Amino acid sequence: MTLILIAVAVLSAVLFWFISRRECKDDQGKQADLRRIFTGQLVYCAAVLLLVFFEDLSINDHLIHLSVLLGSVIHFMWLRIKEAGA
């Protein structure tokens, strides 16, 4: 399970680079700062990797972090599929 979480964190960091290049709006309808979004995503990936290497995580902790990372990836893929179909 640990290897899966490490692999997903590293691969999602690469995918987050593509996500950050896509325009998005904040809750007020204004253009969001894409650099800040990307930085936040990278910091989360780094935090997950640090937790994996330096903490004794339970299986529940692994599943929570894995679901957050995969949820972001699936949401991005869903938006891409939706845009391609439109």
Side-chain angles (χ1 to χ4, degrees), residues 18-48:
F18 292 109
I19 294 172
S20 69
R21 300 179 58 86
R22 186 179 182 279
E23 290 186 20
C24 66
K25 301 198 182 291
D26 63 8
D27 60 339
Q28 297 176 350
K30 298 178 185 174
Q31 179 65 30
D33 185 3
L34 300 179
R35 279 184 287 136
R36 292 185 75 183
I37 293 171
F38 180 59
T39 302
Q41 291 166 331
L42 283 183
V43 167
Y44 183 74
C45 287
V48 168

Side-chain angles (χ1 to χ4, degrees), residues 6-78:
I6 292 170
V8 169
V10 170
L11 292 175
S12 63
V14 173
L15 186 63
F16 287 155
W17 183 76
F18 292 109
I19 294 172
S20 69
R21 300 179 58 86
R22 186 179 182 279
E23 290 186 20
C24 66
K25 301 198 182 291
D26 63 8
D27 60 339
Q28 297 176 350
K30 298 178 185 174
Q31 179 65 30
D33 185 3
L34 300 179
R35 279 184 287 136
R36 292 185 75 183
I37 293 171
F38 180 59
T39 302
Q41 291 166 331
L42 283 183
V43 167
Y44 183 74
C45 287
V48 168
L49 290 175
L50 288 172
L51 285 171
V52 167
F53 288 120
F54 297 110
E55 289 293 322
D56 184 27
L57 298 177
S58 70
I59 190 73
N60 291 333
D61 295 328
H62 284 280
L63 289 175
I64 289 169
H65 294 299
L66 191 62
S67 67
V68 169
L69 291 170
L70 287 177
S72 299
V73 170
I74 290 169
H75 179 71
F76 172 70
M77 299 301 245
W78 173 254

